[in-house]
Amino acid sequence: MSEHAVTVGEALVTLLEQAGVDTVFGIPGVHTIELYRGLAASAIRHVTPRHEQGAGFMADGYARVTGRPGVCFVITGPGLTNTLTAMAQARADSIPMLVISGVNATATLGRGRGHLHELPDQAALARSVALWSHTLTDPAELSTVLEQAFRVMTGGRPGPVHLEIPTDVMKLPAGTQSFTPPAHTRPRPSSADLAAAIDMIAHARHPAILIGGGAVGCADAVRRFAEALDAPVVSTTNARGVMAGHVLDVPASPSFGCVRDLLAEADLVLALGTELGPTDCDMYEDGGFALPETLIRVDIDAGQLSRGAPAALAIEADLGAFLEDLLGEAGTWRGTAGGGAQRAKATRDLAKASLGDTYRSHVGLIQDIWQVLPEATLVGDSTQLVYAGNMYVDAPRHASWFNSATGFGTLGYAAPAAIGAALGQPGRPVVALLGDGGFQFTLAEMGSARDCNADVAFVVWNNAGYMEIETSMTSASITPIGVTPLAPDFSAIAAAYGLPSRRVQSREELLQALKDLPRPCLIEYLDSR
């Protein structure tokens, strides 16, 4: 009997194991079964969502809490197109995601003969949202191509990448290959840029710091730098929790007038790892966000530095490396500023006071959830509770508050992303904050949660429709239409999937349900309109 030749599909699974991948999200199909040939014998866990969009969102949630790429297996054609929305959200929020898809047999590509799942140019479609897309045609290049995928996905500003493998290539012998994830050299600031930054910092008396999602991976360095500088730190949505509970923390949106005043009155602002996007800094689109001319921007993406607010000093560097170098020279600038804690407290107080009654109540409920489940990660969709929290929420640690209501702003994110987060951090509960409208985009993922026994509580804020859109229409003197889709009996659907559930109508009942119900579970909050 001849020795079995390892196929491309089998080799891919082995190489992913060598890369440290422990979970793959995907739905098998006739065009990807060869990718599954080696999966059963591997240590990689496979999670089956109910829709490929869910696979992408699960990979996103997994990546956010682990810091490692989320990986998807999807079929040719509709499998990939269904995943594109999740890839676009990952692109907007700089989340590393590896999407591996099938594509039609090599000889059929570009022929337009109507083969199953055929697209005119699948890779081109992926490139519209991916940082990089590649079609593997030579089995011997598998490890080299995978290395390139990891290098692009994690080497600079993270994001989604796409590798497609023709169905005939999946079956070919791959030969002996091995894979070691590329070791990235963190780009450090030039000596001239570092000296210029130190000079500006040393002359500042009332500095302020504005951080984005790029600060999550170096939270400790951000805290130490803020303390040494004695500067208030404004956290955008994806940075919430980096300065958790610190006297210098301002966990409030730059859309607040008082936060804008803090930044405008500073004699130096350091914008660290943030794209300064409108969904963070100008939520109400009033055009009032502005930064002083004395602005230092630090970002790993040179292209991003050329967009948005012009900086007196734009530094292309890994943020952690920049802060390490800066802290190494702290003796030349430490102690030049002061009053950071007082300025931070004054801004926090003003931001809280600026919240309307409804948002203030919502923010209080969010904080109460963490009182009941202090280790919980809260994952949100575009819904009222989440909009309120994005304006102001004091998250207990980094990556404990994230959602799709910024950046690309998709609906249907929270349920699958919460499952991915729960699988990425076993033992840490996850609360998915959902609207009754948005939840219906990915309602079936309750079944996925049951399949893998994910530690997730699905909290459905039921206000009988798209209330935020209805309010916007009314404010614009447009007769609301299309904003009251019928909601199903969520508890009945939860029961059909084997999930315990409870309907509640008060804060106290909601918090008690979180204490009582085993997870995964569903809690429906009936909000009076």
Side-chain angles (χ1 to χ4, degrees), residues 57-377:
F57 288 147
M58 287 179 190
D60 178 301
Y62 174 94
R64 293 197 197 225
V65 300
T66 64
R68 303 192 302 273
V71 181
C72 302
F73 280 2
V74 299
I75 64 166
T76 308
L80 180 66
T81 57
N82 286 343
T83 313
L84 288 176
T85 296
M87 293 172 69
Q89 185 73 45
R91 175 70 177 261
D93 287 349
S94 303
I95 305 303
M97 179 188 298
L98 172 59
V99 176
I100 300 172
S101 79
V103 72
N104 291 91
T106 308
T108 72
L109 296 181
R111 299 296 181 89
R113 293 176 177 171
H115 288 277
L116 180 66
H117 302 331
E118 186 176 17
L119 284 167
D121 190 339
Q122 183 174 280
L125 191 62
R127 279 192 291 271
S128 67
V129 291
L131 298 176
W132 174 87
S133 178
H134 182 83
T135 306
L136 180 73
T137 56
D138 183 353
E141 294 181 351
L142 177 60
S143 60
T144 301
V145 169
L146 200 60
E147 179 182 359
Q148 178 69 2
F150 273 79
R151 190 175 299 282
V152 173
M153 177 173 52
T154 62
R157 182 179 180 179
V161 298
H162 169 240
L163 170 62
E164 64 179 17
I165 307 176
T167 53
D168 57 323
V169 174
M170 291 180 193
K171 304 175 186 178
L172 296 177
T176 301
Q177 301 188 45
S178 62
F179 178 71
T180 301
H184 301 295
T185 301
R186 296 191 300 164
R188 311 195 82 88
S190 68
S191 56
D193 282 343
L194 186 63
I198 289 172
D199 181 66
M200 293 177 70
I201 292 169
H203 286 88
R205 297 298 177 265
H206 304 288
I209 301 170
L210 176 60
I211 59 174
V216 169
C218 52
D220 179 65
V222 171
R223 292 170 74 94
R224 289 188 288 117
F225 172 62
E227 290 168 352
L229 186 58
D230 193 16
V233 181
V234 176
S235 304
T236 60
T237 298
N238 285 334
R240 296 287 167 80
V242 168
M243 293 290 293
H246 201 286
V247 294
L248 294 170
D249 190 21
V250 181
S253 171
S255 301
F256 276 116
C258 59
V259 177
R260 293 175 174 183
D261 289 343
L262 171 72
L263 298 171
E265 292 165 5
D267 57 359
L268 173 66
V269 171
L270 295 104
L272 308 178
T274 172
E275 66 179 358
L276 304 175
T279 56
D280 275 319
C281 302
D282 194 14
M283 187 177 294
Y284 299 113
E285 299 182 349
D286 59 16
F289 176 73
L291 291 171
E293 293 182 1
T294 49
L295 171 66
I296 297 175
R297 290 188 68 181
V298 182
D299 202 291
I300 199 167
D301 182 359
Q304 193 58 50
L305 291 170
S306 67
R307 298 186 284 269
L313 179 60
I315 300 176
E316 180 188 359
D318 174 85
L319 179 55
F322 169 77
L323 293 174
E324 287 173 8
D325 290 351
L326 203 57
L327 287 165
E329 300 290 336
T332 64
W333 53 264
R334 186 192 296 269
T336 56
Q342 292 86 348
R343 289 190 291 142
K345 182 180 185 304
T347 307
R348 287 196 303 269
D349 291 345
L350 285 170
K352 290 177 184 177
S354 299
L355 289 165
D357 290 342
T358 299
Y359 269 21
R360 187 177 299 110
S361 175
H362 291 348
V363 170
L365 178 56
I366 292 167
Q367 302 292 169
D368 285 345
I369 291 173
W370 273 311
Q371 289 296 315
V372 172
L373 298 174
E375 295 299 312
T377 299

Side-chain angles (χ1 to χ4, degrees), residues 464-497:
Y466 301 126
M467 181 173 280
E468 288 289 330
I469 306 303
E470 181 178 339
T471 300
S472 297
M473 284 181 158
T474 301
S475 298
S477 299
I478 297 171
T479 301
I481 188 169
V483 293
T484 55
L486 176 67
D489 185 332
F490 290 111
S491 293
I493 296 176
Y497 280 117

